[in-house]
Amino acid sequence: MGDPPRKVAIAGAGVAGLAAALAFRKAGYAVTVLERTAELGAVGAGILLQANGLLVLETFGVAEEVRAAGAAMSRFLMRDRRGRALLATELQAHLPPNLWPVCIHRADLHDILWRACAARGVTLRLGCKVSAVETDGPSPVLVYDTPSGAARLAGDLVVGADGVNSAVRDLAGFACRFWPVVEGSVQGVARFAVPADCHGEYIGGAEACGMLPLGGAKTFWFWGGSGQTVGKIETLSFATWKESVCRDFPPMRLVLDERHDWPGTVRLQHQSVQCDAWSAGKVVLIGDAAHAMSPNLGQGANCALVDALALVSRVAARDAGANLADALARFEHDRRAMVERLQRQGQRRAVASAQSWPGLEPIVNFALRLVRFAPLAMRRAEVRLMNGLEGDDLDLRAAGIRAAIPW
Ligand SMILES: Cc1cc2nc3c(=O)[nH]c(=O)nc-3n(C[C@H](O)[C@H](O)[C@H](O)COP(=O)(O)OP(=O)(O)OC[C@H]3O[C@@H](n4cnc5c(N)ncnc54)[C@H](O)[C@@H]3O)c2cc1C
């Protein structure tokens, strides 16, 4: 493992894979991405980009485009099931405007990242599903299925960015554990804007839902409940589910009334993943493949973006010397503590919000109303954690990028 890699093979063209492709290409590497689906970014609904992810997008030179395609939020409101405010987090008091969270359609984020990759000469092969990883030769090889048969792609470095059910992780023999499923969600996009005084997250019992502004005068809506409840949703008609949500959370009628069936919504049971190591030889995992986490902090995609830049900066930066194994170990060292903190926090919230018994809801609502009296430093610490930042600064180092940016 003497020479630094020049040819990078990436499995997966999600947020992690496209961000890594762009960063490696900007740093001068030849990059090929294999994606199993026939087209990019067709799935999904809204996604929240927070300070750590936005800092990475600034470095890529696409943050302005992302802000223009999404909607920035200067405050975040938690509400009770009828829409009455419980807790307002004034993000503007803690973050500069360029780091206010941006809610964007996942497809728009993919599109922006892919256009930046294409402009730089990244090779993308669609409809190519990785089915084997060979690690016995001098360079690892991704074997993949295409409509016209199996093909092979060697890289000086192979990046597994193929999501929570990563084939690279399993095929290359990484030891990992799935945490128990405790939550799930239904999400969608309404093709119209709702009044700003409806934005926020509505909580009630073991369920939560919400509406957030998306770019293009659209609205991202979501509903979340226990994993068991979501499992049962499969057996319900959309009309039955919609009526029960609108009965429990009346304001949701605003966005759900336009829908009459499931197609176009996203239904998921959420899984968290913990791997013993994120690299083995010349294969490295990033994003959900390495550490899928509960979506309730809105950090999964942001961590995927930070992983991509942290990896490339370690592999390419001069201080890593020529030793790839060291660079990969440093990348993991840079990232693991923050990622695991977010995973634990997300899991704690998921478990806590799955609790419900008569009389608990007014106590929770009362406690949330009291948070406004918490010391400012405590609230700031919470905002920083939600935004994936460590220490007091608002820069790439605080987001977990420890080595120099190699371009
Ligand atoms: C309901 C929900 C809401 C969320 N909300 C937020 C949010 O608001 N903010 C946030 O930051 N994060 C959020 N997340 C998390 C975020 O979506 C993920 O963390 C993020 O998408 C991870 O990106 P990734 O590139 O690692 O994986 P993915 O986005 O899953 O991408 C993996 C890619 O690999 C491809 N692939 C898979 N297997 C193969 C194979 N064998 N060969 C080739 N290609 C393959 C897939 O088709 C896919 O394109 C949410 C997640 C969920 C479930």
Side-chain angles (χ1 to χ4, degrees), residues 257-292:
D257 251 358
E258 75 157 1
R259 296 208 66 87
H260 305 291
D261 44 26
W262 288 117
T265 65
V266 183
R267 282 173 288 168
L268 290 163
Q269 281 183 302
H270 307 147
Q271 293 233 274
S272 297
V273 173
Q274 199 161 35
C275 294
D276 287 354
W278 294 356
S279 67
K282 296 178 178 177
V283 181
V284 64
L285 304 175
I286 60 171
D288 276 10
H291 51 64

Side-chain angles (χ1 to χ4, degrees), residues 11-18 34-37 40 46-50 106 110 128-131 144 161-168 185 187 220 266 268-270 286-289 292-295 297-304:
V15 177
L18 291 176
L34 303 177
E35 167 56 45
R36 70 176 169 187
T37 58
L40 273 189
I47 199 161
L48 207 56
L49 292 167
Q50 310 210 57
R106 195 177 287 251
H110 279 223
C128 297
K129 183 178 176 198
V130 172
S131 54
Y144 58 99
D162 50 347
V164 60
N165 296 311
S166 170
V168 172
S185 63
Q187 307 184 344
F220 168 46
V266 183
L268 290 163
Q269 281 183 302
H270 307 147
I286 60 171
D288 276 10
M293 62 182 68
S294 162
L297 299 183
Q299 264 296 330
N302 293 282
C303 282

Side-chain angles (χ1 to χ4, degrees), residues 128-271:
C128 297
K129 183 178 176 198
V130 172
S131 54
V133 182
E134 294 171 2
T135 52
D136 41 0
S139 297
V141 175
L142 291 173
V143 181
Y144 58 99
D145 303 330
T146 74
S148 48
R152 298 156 58 79
L153 175 69
D156 300 307
L157 176 67
V158 158
V159 181
D162 50 347
V164 60
N165 296 311
S166 170
V168 172
R169 185 184 64 217
D170 296 345
L171 296 164
F174 284 84
C176 80
R177 288 167 298 287
F178 283 89
W179 298 9
V181 175
V182 287
E183 59 189 340
S185 63
V186 181
Q187 307 184 344
V189 172
R191 287 163 296 188
F192 51 84
V194 300
D197 60 6
C198 299
H199 293 157
E201 181 175 10
Y202 299 67
I203 59 164
E207 294 176 14
C209 49
M211 298 172 240
L212 295 175
L214 268 185
K218 295 184 182 136
T219 305
F220 168 46
W221 59 261
F222 56 91
W223 169 92
S226 73
Q228 266 179 341
T229 317
V230 175
K232 285 187 207 135
I233 283 177
E234 298 291 332
T235 62
L236 299 180
S237 70
F238 184 81
T240 308
W241 174 81
K242 175 165 99 174
E243 274 321 302
S244 88
V245 172
C246 293
R247 185 190 59 231
D248 293 343
F249 297 91
M252 287 298 282
R253 203 170 278 291
L254 260 177
V255 282
L256 292 182
D257 251 358
E258 75 157 1
R259 296 208 66 87
H260 305 291
D261 44 26
W262 288 117
T265 65
V266 183
R267 282 173 288 168
L268 290 163
Q269 281 183 302
H270 307 147
Q271 293 233 274

